[in-house]
Amino acid sequence: MNYREEALGYHRRGRRGKIEVSTTKPCITQRDLSLAYTPGVAEPCREIEKNPAEVFNYTAKGNLVAVVSNGTAVLGLGDIGAAAGKPVMEGKGVLFKRFADIDVFDLELDTHDPDEIIRTVRLLEPTFGGINLEDIKAPECFYIEEELKKQMNIPVFHDDQHGTAIISGAGLLNALELANKRIEDIKIVFMGAGAAGIACAKFYIQLGARLENILMLDSKGVIYKGRTEGMNPYKEYFARDTKIRTLEEAMQGADMFAGVSSANLISREMVKSMADNPIIFAMANPDPEITYEEAKAARDDVIMATGRSDYPNQANNVLGFPFIFRGALDVRATQINEAMKIAAAKALAALAKEPVPYSVMKAYRSQKLEFGPEYIIPKPFDPRVLLWEASAVAQAAIDSGVATLKIDIEKYKEKLEDRLGLSRHVMRVFINRAKKVPKRIVYPEGEHEAILKACEIILDENLAYPVLLGDRHVIEEKLESLHMNILQGVEIIHPEASPNIDRYAKKLYEMRKRKGLVESEAHQWVRDYNYFATMMVELGDADGLVAGLMQHYSDVIRPALQIIGTRPDVAKVAGLYMMILKDQIYFFADATVNIEPTAEDLAKIAILSAKTVRRFGVEPKIAMLSFSNFGSSHHPLADKMRRATELVRQFDRDVLIDGEMQADTAVVPQIIEDVFPFSELSGKGGANVLIFPNLEAGNVAYKLLQRLGNAVAVGPILMGMRKPVHLLQIGGNDEIDIVNMTAIAVLDSQSGSEDFPEQSVINLLGDLD
């Protein structure tokens, strides 16, 4: 299938188009219906009539943006009409929702009259929290936006103008830093004097460029004083008193070329004629004014951006409008002003200098993304863009006086993180509790890049005091290549050179001499990073251990069991996974340690899981899983789960548990209430802790849910150890997973100390409410 057919099929298959309206409240029962519509709906109507600001509390206005177009300048297709532009406007709605969780109605207006557009949009102000103007041709677009901003008290933003300006402006700030040039000194050539070109030039002036250093061209050539052909007041602003008339002349000695025009206008010779370290932003779509390959062939000192995703440094508007509107909506800004646009550009520029998360490199199938000529603009799929840009825009709105809500920006960042999914919210609760009393956490795989990236986040959060095991020179080289400056915040220990190695070896020998260990072996063992780290935890030189990125679970667990051992009341350790779905949390055990547990083992795993889950602030409701429901099969495997359930009830009467039962019986409340009303779990909303009959079943289940159900798996959380030892998933290079397990390790350490008494828990469910 060719690309055209694939694109047509994408829009045509299933429900036509790309968007739908979904409800946020239940409408299942008669009572639901009466609340959603008449008579219940009259109550919020009365409240809004009394106080119009209540519309933000009782309706979707505060998260609703109109994407408005008349189809006169759609992509590179030109004036194709309102209906033909609708797929683009729906696509805009997809991007608003995907990247900033903003709801959109697309409005295609069948008119070429700017005043009709202004009047129509103005009358819609009660419905929307913001207006995104899209694909309206110049110069009418300037007039429409200017008038709407004067007449409306909600943000109005023409993305074709300002989106390109803000994103390319962020890239320009970083390109100048790399080229060692000052914005006020550079000579800029603009090719294209439509909406994007005019807006980019004006925005660069806001960033510090000088009007007299800008030379603008359109399809008629240089815009100069006295020219009459194809002119308008917006172009006239950039008219220069110059004898230059052609692009070739203009490019000579230029520091920067900014193109928003059409393909293949720049030659290699023009690029060669530019100043040292030239900056070329060839942003025409779909084909740039010069290709990346041609520009690089002309000279290798060029810093280049385009509008294409298959070249480095894509100036993609999706890096702007979703996040700018997010910040504006959340402080109920009356407009999007220049301060907010500059804040957005500077936030993006700063983010590009930060180490890139593994999840982003994976999304772009890249081995390396780091600040430099090939990476001056962040990637749209970087989840940090939401946190950095939206919060910067919100702060700028507050500081410049256009925000009608004053908010705590640090708390706002946490709320933004919630929009990235329930897993981020849950772990934020854990991190906030853990950071109250940070602990020393040792990482045996301290030379691994993912560990180093995680440590930067850990230090920023004041979550823990990281101890990295490894060669200092190797770690320093990797930190330098990652442009990370965390040496002041971490402790680096090379076990071979540690003054503690003899002390650890002697202590290990004393602990294991009656279990077959000879003294020379003890000295060899502690040179192993896992054994060294475990001895640190055992002797109080570290409070917890996190490892497993490059090794099997057994390689981490074995030293921990040999040296630290289990708690006095625990016979066997077990692994627990927290499985976080879109709106629910489940706990799975054991998917890590015990291959074929007995009924007695399973009972102890269930009790251990109940205690752990309670410490997370969740009241456990345990289901013992099988292929049988409450005696429907008398197979030995079903009998084992039934026996385990009985043992739990004997050992701990406070645990809410039932079984044996099938998995759907456990998690679908309707099944257990209709078919098995006698169950202890009936009327309890279903189980939230699932105990599997063996490791095979648990491991398969959690991985299927993770991959097919898009659940986030936090774990494995090692239960039953006397001191905190926690595992990372082998091959899991995402630094966020490491941060999460570090938070678990810190909490685990707190729970065994005076800092965090055993009965104290994180009120996770309360925070979720």
Side-chain angles (χ1 to χ4, degrees):
M1 184 185 293
N2 61 36
Y3 191 74
R4 178 178 180 276
E5 288 302 317
E6 186 178 0
L8 291 174
Y10 174 86
H11 287 78
R12 187 176 54 234
R13 67 173 176 261
R15 185 187 288 256
R16 303 296 190 259
K18 299 188 288 282
I19 59 175
E20 67 177 3
V21 175
S22 61
T23 61
T24 59
K25 305 295 186 295
C27 190
I28 299 170
T29 67
Q30 172 63 32
R31 183 165 184 79
D32 292 340
L33 184 59
S34 71
L35 292 171
Y37 201 54
T38 184
V41 73
E43 297 309 320
C45 293
R46 292 188 179 104
E47 293 300 310
I48 295 167
E49 183 187 19
K50 288 188 287 185
N51 179 6
E54 289 296 320
V55 70
F56 291 101
N57 293 324
Y58 292 113
T59 77
K61 176 183 171 80
N63 197 52
L64 187 61
V65 166
V67 173
V68 179
S69 178
N70 67 349
T72 52
V74 180
L75 302 177
L77 304 174
D79 186 351
I80 62 174
K86 185 173 174 61
V88 176
M89 306 316 133
E90 286 190 0
K92 201 81 173 185
V94 171
L95 300 181
F96 265 110
K97 190 66 178 177
R98 165 61 180 82
F99 290 99
D101 193 26
I102 292 172
D103 299 316
V104 163
F105 287 156
D106 60 295
L107 303 176
E108 291 74 34
L109 306 182
D110 190 12
T111 179
H112 283 63
D113 184 341
D115 291 310
E116 274 195 312
I117 295 173
I118 292 166
R119 182 175 182 276
T120 302
V121 174
R122 180 176 57 79
L123 291 173
L124 291 168
E125 183 168 346
T127 301
F128 296 100
I131 305 294
N132 184 101
L133 300 173
E134 193 76 20
D135 291 351
I136 301 172
K137 72 181 180 71
E140 290 90 337
C141 62
F142 301 119
Y143 168 64
I144 291 169
E145 186 191 41
E146 287 169 2
E147 285 303 309
L148 286 175
K149 289 178 75 171
K150 291 176 188 175
Q151 297 180 31
M152 301 182 78
N153 285 313
I154 58 174
V156 178
F157 184 83
H158 184 208
D159 185 49
D160 301 294
Q161 292 183 59
H162 310 299
T164 304
I166 290 164
I167 310 313
S168 65
L172 174 58
L173 293 175
N174 282 337
L176 289 170
E177 181 176 328
L178 293 168
N180 196 26
K181 295 181 180 182
R182 301 191 311 164
I183 192 168
E184 59 266 32
D185 297 333
I186 62 170
K187 175 184 173 184
I188 306 173
V189 175
F190 271 95
M191 186 67 212
I198 295 287
C200 284
K202 286 186 173 181
F203 189 67
Y204 293 0
I205 291 171
Q206 290 286 332
L207 292 176
R210 292 178 176 168
L211 176 61
E212 60 268 27
N213 289 342
I214 293 174
L215 192 62
M216 185 173 286
L217 297 88
D218 61 9
S219 60
K220 310 296 183 185
V222 173
I223 295 173
Y224 58 88
K225 293 284 187 184
R227 195 184 108 173
T228 57
E229 186 182 12
M231 293 295 286
N232 60 50
Y234 304 100
K235 291 182 183 180
E236 191 65 44
Y237 179 78
F238 290 96
R240 287 270 305 280
D241 188 2
T242 178
K243 295 181 179 180
I244 297 173
R245 294 294 182 267
T246 67
L247 178 60
E248 186 174 11
E249 293 176 276
M251 290 287 279
Q252 293 178 17
D255 296 286
M256 181 189 188
F257 169 83
V260 279
S261 51
S262 55
N264 305 317
L265 295 179
I266 302 178
S267 66
R268 291 192 187 185
E269 288 67 31
M270 292 182 191
V271 176
K272 290 177 182 178
S273 74
M274 296 178 74
D276 291 342
N277 302 314
I279 299 165
I280 296 178
F281 286 5
M283 298 176 287
N285 262 323
D287 298 309
E289 288 81 359
I290 184 171
T291 66
Y292 176 81
E293 293 86 357
E294 283 287 298
K296 281 293 187 181
R299 54 195 299 176
D300 59 11
D301 63 342
V302 66
I303 301 172
M304 187 167 181
T306 71
R308 292 178 52 147
S309 61
D310 53 346
Y311 290 147
N313 301 321
Q314 183 189 18
N316 191 331
N317 283 21
V318 77
L319 277 167
F321 65 86
F323 312 106
I324 292 167
F325 268 99
R326 180 76 275 156
L329 291 173
D330 290 340
V331 294
R332 297 185 196 165
T334 56
Q335 61 176 281
I336 294 171
N337 60 22
E338 293 306 309
M340 295 159 75
K341 297 172 196 172
I342 291 170
K346 289 184 175 179
L348 289 171
L351 180 57
K353 299 174 188 177
E354 296 292 312
V356 180
Y358 171 76
S359 60
V360 178
M361 290 191 282
K362 184 178 177 182
Y364 288 91
R365 299 178 181 177
S366 175
Q367 292 296 316
K368 200 94 170 177
L369 287 172
E370 61 182 17
F371 181 64
E374 306 268 286
Y375 183 71
I376 57 174
I377 304 171
K379 297 292 187 182
F381 283 102
D382 189 332
R384 301 172 302 171
V385 175
L386 175 64
L387 310 182
W388 285 58
E389 188 175 357
S391 61
V393 169
Q395 184 66 67
I398 293 169
D399 294 343
S400 60
V402 298
T404 59
L405 281 182
K406 303 297 188 291
I407 61 174
D408 183 311
I409 289 296
E410 290 307 312
K411 290 182 179 177
Y412 175 56
K413 289 178 182 178
E414 293 183 10
K415 288 186 177 180
L416 288 173
E417 200 165 20
D418 295 349
R419 292 186 181 276
L420 298 175
L422 180 59
S423 63
R424 297 293 285 260
H425 178 99
V426 169
M427 292 315 302
R428 170 53 52 192
V429 174
F430 289 173
I431 288 168
N432 284 346
R433 183 58 185 267
K435 66 197 286 185
K436 290 180 180 179
V437 187
K439 298 291 183 178
R440 282 169 55 85
I441 304 299
V442 60
Y443 303 89
E445 297 149 318
E447 296 175 1
H448 198 288
E449 284 190 8
I451 298 289
L452 299 177
K453 288 182 179 181
C455 282
E456 183 174 56
I457 300 171
I458 289 163
L459 291 171
D460 286 344
E461 293 278 3
N462 293 316
L463 173 60
Y465 308 113
V467 180
L468 305 176
L469 299 192
D471 186 304
R472 172 172 283 275
H473 298 298
V474 171
I475 292 172
E476 288 179 349
E477 285 178 5
K478 289 193 175 182
L479 289 174
E480 185 176 356
S481 71
L482 292 168
H483 303 285
M484 289 172 55
N485 183 23
I486 63 170
L487 283 173
Q488 297 301 315
V490 301
E491 181 180 352
I492 300 172
I493 298 175
H494 192 193
E496 293 275 353
S498 171
N500 288 324
I501 196 161
D502 287 337
R503 179 167 68 93
Y504 290 172
K506 288 177 182 177
K507 180 63 177 177
L508 178 59
Y509 172 65
E510 288 298 319
M511 296 170 66
R512 303 288 301 177
K513 65 185 179 183
R514 293 188 178 275
K515 296 182 181 180
L517 183 69
V518 298
E519 193 167 0
S520 60
E521 283 181 310
H523 281 274
Q524 292 174 358
W525 281 21
V526 293
R527 281 168 169 77
D528 178 284
Y529 286 12
N530 286 332
Y531 277 94
F532 188 93
T534 307
M535 289 302 300
M536 287 185 68
V537 175
E538 172 61 17
L539 297 181
D541 295 332
D543 299 305
L545 181 158
V546 175
L549 279 183
M550 300 183 295
Q551 50 200 323
H552 296 293
Y553 293 154
S554 58
D555 295 328
V556 180
I557 295 173
R558 186 182 303 108
L561 289 174
Q562 290 173 334
I563 296 169
I564 295 173
T566 62
R567 296 205 305 263
D569 59 334
V570 175
K572 287 187 175 182
V573 296
L576 179 78
Y577 276 94
M578 187 188 323
M579 306 299 297
I580 307 174
L581 284 77
K582 183 178 179 180
D583 55 2
Q584 290 177 298
I585 304 172
Y586 293 96
F587 297 88
F588 287 14
D590 175 9
T592 310
V593 181
N594 298 284
I595 296 174
E596 198 63 66
T598 65
E600 289 74 15
D601 293 334
L602 288 165
K604 292 172 183 176
I605 290 169
I607 293 170
L608 200 54
S609 299
K611 291 180 178 179
T612 303
V613 170
R614 278 201 186 102
R615 284 184 43 231
F616 292 151
V618 177
E619 190 57 34
K621 297 175 290 183
I622 302 176
M624 305 297 282
L625 299 185
S626 178
F627 58 86
S628 170
N629 271 321
F630 304 106
S632 63
S633 171
H634 293 288
H635 190 280
L637 294 178
D639 294 341
K640 179 176 75 168
M641 300 308 289
R642 195 177 311 121
R643 171 64 177 156
T645 305
E646 294 169 357
L647 289 172
V648 172
R649 288 172 175 156
Q650 291 175 23
F651 295 153
D652 192 337
R653 293 180 179 274
D654 293 331
V655 174
L656 178 60
I657 186 170
D658 215 338
E660 85 294 4
M661 70 180 73
Q662 294 177 2
D664 56 348
T665 303
V667 299
V668 181
Q670 204 68 38
I671 294 177
I672 209 161
E673 289 167 16
D674 292 349
V675 184
F676 309 105
F678 56 82
S679 170
E680 297 288 338
L681 296 179
S682 181
K684 301 295 193 300
N688 56 13
V689 179
L690 307 182
I691 306 299
F692 292 86
N694 55 30
L695 188 145
E696 182 178 39
N699 191 270
V700 168
Y702 103 76
K703 289 189 174 178
L704 281 176
L705 190 60
Q706 183 182 28
R707 302 303 177 187
L708 301 184
N710 294 318
V712 174
V714 177
I717 301 165
L718 200 58
M719 304 183 295
M721 294 299 302
R722 189 166 53 82
K723 294 186 177 184
V725 175
H726 288 289
L727 305 172
L728 299 169
Q729 295 185 47
I730 188 169
N733 291 320
D734 193 333
E735 57 271 19
I736 296 300
D737 293 338
I738 300 166
V739 174
N740 290 345
M741 292 314 299
T742 299
I744 298 292
V746 172
L747 288 170
D748 200 2
S749 177
Q750 290 174 350
S751 70
S753 70
E754 294 179 359
D755 301 320
F756 188 161
E758 185 68 31
Q759 65 269 22
S760 179
V761 296
I762 301 168
N763 189 3
L764 178 57
L765 294 184
D767 282 305
L768 289 177
D769 291 338

PDB file of all heavy atoms in Angstrom, residues 11 18 82-92 108:
ATOM      1  N   HIS A  11      -7.975   7.487   7.808  1.00  0.00           N
ATOM      2  CA  HIS A  11      -9.090   8.392   8.103  1.00  0.00           C
ATOM      3  C   HIS A  11     -10.456   7.745   7.863  1.00  0.00           C
ATOM      4  O   HIS A  11     -11.453   8.156   8.468  1.00  0.00           O
ATOM      5  CB  HIS A  11      -8.981   9.663   7.254  1.00  0.00           C
ATOM      6  CG  HIS A  11      -7.898  10.586   7.695  1.00  0.00           C
ATOM      7  ND1 HIS A  11      -6.562  10.370   7.404  1.00  0.00           N
ATOM      8  CD2 HIS A  11      -7.934  11.725   8.438  1.00  0.00           C
ATOM      9  CE1 HIS A  11      -5.828  11.338   7.929  1.00  0.00           C
ATOM     10  NE2 HIS A  11      -6.635  12.174   8.563  1.00  0.00           N
ATOM     11  N   LYS A  18     -11.172  11.263  12.980  1.00  0.00           N
ATOM     12  CA  LYS A  18     -10.163  10.975  14.009  1.00  0.00           C
ATOM     13  C   LYS A  18     -10.605  11.299  15.428  1.00  0.00           C
ATOM     14  O   LYS A  18      -9.856  11.059  16.373  1.00  0.00           O
ATOM     15  CB  LYS A  18      -8.876  11.762  13.698  1.00  0.00           C
ATOM     16  CG  LYS A  18      -8.233  11.431  12.370  1.00  0.00           C
ATOM     17  CD  LYS A  18      -6.879  12.099  12.218  1.00  0.00           C
ATOM     18  CE  LYS A  18      -6.977  13.581  11.995  1.00  0.00           C
ATOM     19  NZ  LYS A  18      -7.347  13.939  10.620  1.00  0.00           N
ATOM     20  N   ALA A  82     -13.504  25.283   3.441  1.00  0.00           N
ATOM     21  CA  ALA A  82     -13.677  24.923   4.846  1.00  0.00           C
ATOM     22  C   ALA A  82     -13.802  23.416   5.042  1.00  0.00           C
ATOM     23  O   ALA A  82     -13.154  22.831   5.916  1.00  0.00           O
ATOM     24  CB  ALA A  82     -14.900  25.640   5.412  1.00  0.00           C
ATOM     25  N   ALA A  83     -14.638  22.749   4.236  1.00  0.00           N
ATOM     26  CA  ALA A  83     -14.857  21.311   4.415  1.00  0.00           C
ATOM     27  C   ALA A  83     -13.592  20.514   4.141  1.00  0.00           C
ATOM     28  O   ALA A  83     -13.278  19.566   4.863  1.00  0.00           O
ATOM     29  CB  ALA A  83     -15.988  20.838   3.513  1.00  0.00           C
ATOM     30  N   ALA A  84     -12.858  20.891   3.105  1.00  0.00           N
ATOM     31  CA  ALA A  84     -11.629  20.160   2.756  1.00  0.00           C
ATOM     32  C   ALA A  84     -10.560  20.323   3.820  1.00  0.00           C
ATOM     33  O   ALA A  84      -9.671  19.475   3.962  1.00  0.00           O
ATOM     34  CB  ALA A  84     -11.108  20.627   1.397  1.00  0.00           C
ATOM     35  N   GLY A  85     -10.640  21.404   4.590  1.00  0.00           N
ATOM     36  CA  GLY A  85      -9.666  21.609   5.659  1.00  0.00           C
ATOM     37  C   GLY A  85     -10.000  20.876   6.947  1.00  0.00           C
ATOM     38  O   GLY A  85      -9.178  20.822   7.868  1.00  0.00           O
ATOM     39  N   LYS A  86     -11.197  20.284   7.012  1.00  0.00           N
ATOM     40  CA  LYS A  86     -11.638  19.654   8.262  1.00  0.00           C
ATOM     41  C   LYS A  86     -10.707  18.539   8.751  1.00  0.00           C
ATOM     42  O   LYS A  86     -10.468  18.445   9.969  1.00  0.00           O
ATOM     43  CB  LYS A  86     -13.071  19.135   8.113  1.00  0.00           C
ATOM     44  CG  LYS A  86     -13.648  18.571   9.418  1.00  0.00           C
ATOM     45  CD  LYS A  86     -15.126  18.231   9.289  1.00  0.00           C
ATOM     46  CE  LYS A  86     -15.665  17.544  10.541  1.00  0.00           C
ATOM     47  NZ  LYS A  86     -15.560  18.381  11.753  1.00  0.00           N
ATOM     48  N   PRO A  87     -10.154  17.664   7.884  1.00  0.00           N
ATOM     49  CA  PRO A  87      -9.227  16.643   8.401  1.00  0.00           C
ATOM     50  C   PRO A  87      -8.039  17.235   9.159  1.00  0.00           C
ATOM     51  O   PRO A  87      -7.580  16.656  10.144  1.00  0.00           O
ATOM     52  CB  PRO A  87      -8.771  15.914   7.136  1.00  0.00           C
ATOM     53  CG  PRO A  87      -9.897  16.096   6.167  1.00  0.00           C
ATOM     54  CD  PRO A  87     -10.408  17.476   6.440  1.00  0.00           C
ATOM     55  N   VAL A  88      -7.573  18.397   8.706  1.00  0.00           N
ATOM     56  CA  VAL A  88      -6.461  19.042   9.405  1.00  0.00           C
ATOM     57  C   VAL A  88      -6.914  19.529  10.778  1.00  0.00           C
ATOM     58  O   VAL A  88      -6.216  19.369  11.779  1.00  0.00           O
ATOM     59  CB  VAL A  88      -5.905  20.222   8.580  1.00  0.00           C
ATOM     60  CG1 VAL A  88      -4.813  20.958   9.360  1.00  0.00           C
ATOM     61  CG2 VAL A  88      -5.359  19.724   7.256  1.00  0.00           C
ATOM     62  N   MET A  89      -8.105  20.106  10.833  1.00  0.00           N
ATOM     63  CA  MET A  89      -8.592  20.643  12.112  1.00  0.00           C
ATOM     64  C   MET A  89      -8.870  19.508  13.105  1.00  0.00           C
ATOM     65  O   MET A  89      -8.618  19.651  14.300  1.00  0.00           O
ATOM     66  CB  MET A  89      -9.844  21.493  11.902  1.00  0.00           C
ATOM     67  CG  MET A  89      -9.684  22.606  10.862  1.00  0.00           C
ATOM     68  SD  MET A  89      -8.146  23.537  10.998  1.00  0.00           S
ATOM     69  CE  MET A  89      -7.614  23.557   9.291  1.00  0.00           C
ATOM     70  N   GLU A  90      -9.408  18.393  12.610  1.00  0.00           N
ATOM     71  CA  GLU A  90      -9.571  17.224  13.482  1.00  0.00           C
ATOM     72  C   GLU A  90      -8.212  16.743  13.976  1.00  0.00           C
ATOM     73  O   GLU A  90      -8.053  16.367  15.148  1.00  0.00           O
ATOM     74  CB  GLU A  90     -10.283  16.097  12.733  1.00  0.00           C
ATOM     75  CG  GLU A  90     -11.760  16.317  12.523  1.00  0.00           C
ATOM     76  CD  GLU A  90     -12.454  15.071  11.987  1.00  0.00           C
ATOM     77  OE1 GLU A  90     -11.774  14.039  11.790  1.00  0.00           O
ATOM     78  OE2 GLU A  90     -13.677  15.113  11.788  1.00  0.00           O
ATOM     79  N   GLY A  91      -7.232  16.746  13.080  1.00  0.00           N
ATOM     80  CA  GLY A  91      -5.884  16.344  13.480  1.00  0.00           C
ATOM     81  C   GLY A  91      -5.316  17.238  14.557  1.00  0.00           C
ATOM     82  O   GLY A  91      -4.626  16.787  15.479  1.00  0.00           O
ATOM     83  N   LYS A  92      -5.625  18.523  14.454  1.00  0.00           N
ATOM     84  CA  LYS A  92      -5.197  19.459  15.490  1.00  0.00           C
ATOM     85  C   LYS A  92      -5.806  19.066  16.838  1.00  0.00           C
ATOM     86  O   LYS A  92      -5.152  19.123  17.887  1.00  0.00           O
ATOM     87  CB  LYS A  92      -5.653  20.865  15.108  1.00  0.00           C
ATOM     88  CG  LYS A  92      -4.887  21.971  15.783  1.00  0.00           C
ATOM     89  CD  LYS A  92      -3.571  22.237  15.072  1.00  0.00           C
ATOM     90  CE  LYS A  92      -2.881  23.453  15.627  1.00  0.00           C
ATOM     91  NZ  LYS A  92      -1.671  23.771  14.865  1.00  0.00           N
ATOM     92  N   GLU A 108     -15.244  24.724  11.234  1.00  0.00           N
ATOM     93  CA  GLU A 108     -14.870  25.143   9.887  1.00  0.00           C
ATOM     94  C   GLU A 108     -15.909  26.149   9.388  1.00  0.00           C
ATOM     95  O   GLU A 108     -17.097  25.794   9.251  1.00  0.00           O
ATOM     96  CB  GLU A 108     -14.796  23.944   8.941  1.00  0.00           C
ATOM     97  CG  GLU A 108     -13.642  22.997   9.236  1.00  0.00           C
ATOM     98  CD  GLU A 108     -13.839  22.134  10.479  1.00  0.00           C
ATOM     99  OE1 GLU A 108     -15.010  21.754  10.751  1.00  0.00           O
ATOM    100  OE2 GLU A 108     -12.857  21.837  11.178  1.00  0.00           O
TER     101      GLU A 108
END
